[in-house]
């Protein structure tokens, strides 16, 4: 059962995604949560406290999701099967429910000026990278936390580009094939078990060299 505190944090994340950083107010969270006015302020007296709590809640949600992924990873998973996770994750983040991605972008911007938010996002980045490296290791890939962290950074940059840019612009620069991009992200950052430059995740060839270039370009767009 979700606690009142977690409910308010979840609503703060939703408000961030829908209204942006400027739209995140105590009253906006009260309205989204359907609680009496002043409730959010009682829990989080300042805007800094509210932002920090939202960042901490997102970190906890990501950590739990990664833990579930690790716990349900079948023994003997192959590099190709791991690679196929990334197109699915990209589709989920951009198409199915961009709430978490949009809120994270807003929190990244706030983190530049707010140490508490920066610390929470830092914990998320480290946790995700360590878990990603563990998942890759389960598939026999010599991936490090640095490789997995780089993959996460590529992923965020590409996902933001897919959300923010017009479809014609994405086509013009070769970022219009989300499936190939997901495979390309993986291949660009993760070494293969046999020492090749990048792991081969299966699927069509466009996820190869072109996908790697696209991943690097998406990261730079952040």
């Amino acid at each position: 059962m979700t606690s009142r505190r977690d409910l308010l944090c979840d609503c703060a994340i939703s408000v961030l995604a829908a209204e942006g950083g400027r739209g995140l107010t105590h009253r906006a969270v009260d309205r989204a949560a359907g609680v009496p006015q002043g409730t959010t302020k009682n829990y989080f007296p300042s805007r800094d406290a509210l932002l920090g709590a939202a960042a901490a809640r997102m970190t906890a949600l990501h950590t739990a999701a990664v833990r579930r992924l690790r716990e349900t990873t079948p023994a003997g998973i192959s590099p190709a099967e791991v690679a196929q996770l990334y197109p699915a994750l990209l589709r989920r983040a951009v198409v199915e429910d961009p709430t978490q991605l949009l809120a994270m972008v807003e929190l990244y911007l706030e983190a530049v000026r707010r140490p508490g938010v920066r610390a929470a996002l830092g914990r998320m980045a480290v946790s995700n990278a360590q878990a990603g490296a563990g998942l890759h290791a389960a598939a026999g890939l010599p991936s490090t936390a640095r490789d997995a962290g780089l993959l996460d950074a590529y992923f965020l940059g590409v996902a933001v580009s897919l959300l923010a840019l017009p479809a014609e612009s994405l086509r013009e620069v070769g970022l219009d094939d989300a499936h190939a991009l997901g495979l390309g992200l993986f291949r660009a950052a993760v070494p293969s078990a046999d020492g090749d430059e990048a792991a081969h995740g299966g699927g069509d060839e466009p996820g190869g060299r072109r996908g790697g270039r696209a991943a690097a370009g998406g990261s730079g767009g952040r």
Side-chain angles (χ1 to χ4, degrees), residues 80 83-87 178-188 199 201-204 207-208 211:
Q84 290 293 336
L85 288 173
Y86 290 92
H179 185 82
L181 283 173
L183 294 178
L185 292 171
F186 183 78
R187 293 168 176 169
D204 297 333

Side-chain angles (χ1 to χ4, degrees), residues 50-63:
L50 181 58
L51 281 164
R57 174 64 170 166
M58 185 172 286
T59 299
L61 291 172
H62 274 249
T63 300

Side-chain angles (χ1 to χ4, degrees), residues 72-96:
T72 57
T73 298
I77 190 171
S78 70
E81 289 169 326
V82 174
Q84 290 293 336
L85 288 173
Y86 290 92
L89 290 171
L90 193 59
R91 181 177 64 252
R92 182 184 303 170
V94 174
V95 178
E96 295 177 5

Side-chain angles (χ1 to χ4, degrees), residues 14-156:
S14 296
V15 171
L16 272 173
E19 306 294 338
R22 291 187 176 182
L24 182 67
T25 64
H26 292 90
R27 287 188 178 186
V29 176
D30 286 340
R31 288 194 298 270
V35 297
Q37 184 175 320
T39 301
T40 302
K41 200 170 186 65
N42 286 337
Y43 279 84
F44 312 108
S46 67
R47 190 167 180 277
D48 272 358
L50 181 58
L51 281 164
R57 174 64 170 166
M58 185 172 286
T59 299
L61 291 172
H62 274 249
T63 300
V66 171
R67 185 185 305 114
R68 286 193 299 272
L69 179 62
R70 285 293 309 278
E71 290 172 350
T72 57
T73 298
I77 190 171
S78 70
E81 289 169 326
V82 174
Q84 290 293 336
L85 288 173
Y86 290 92
L89 290 171
L90 193 59
R91 181 177 64 252
R92 182 184 303 170
V94 174
V95 178
E96 295 177 5
D97 184 7
T99 300
Q100 290 278 322
L101 176 61
L102 288 168
M104 187 180 296
V105 171
E106 295 293 338
L107 288 172
Y108 263 69
L109 294 175
E110 295 286 350
V112 175
R113 304 170 190 85
R114 301 180 190 276
V117 177
R118 179 180 297 183
L121 293 182
R123 290 190 293 272
M124 182 195 301
V126 171
S127 175
N128 286 352
Q130 291 174 341
L135 176 63
H136 301 161
L141 294 165
S143 179
T144 65
R146 179 189 180 279
D147 299 323
L150 184 63
L151 177 55
D152 282 349
Y154 282 173
F155 185 95
L156 180 58

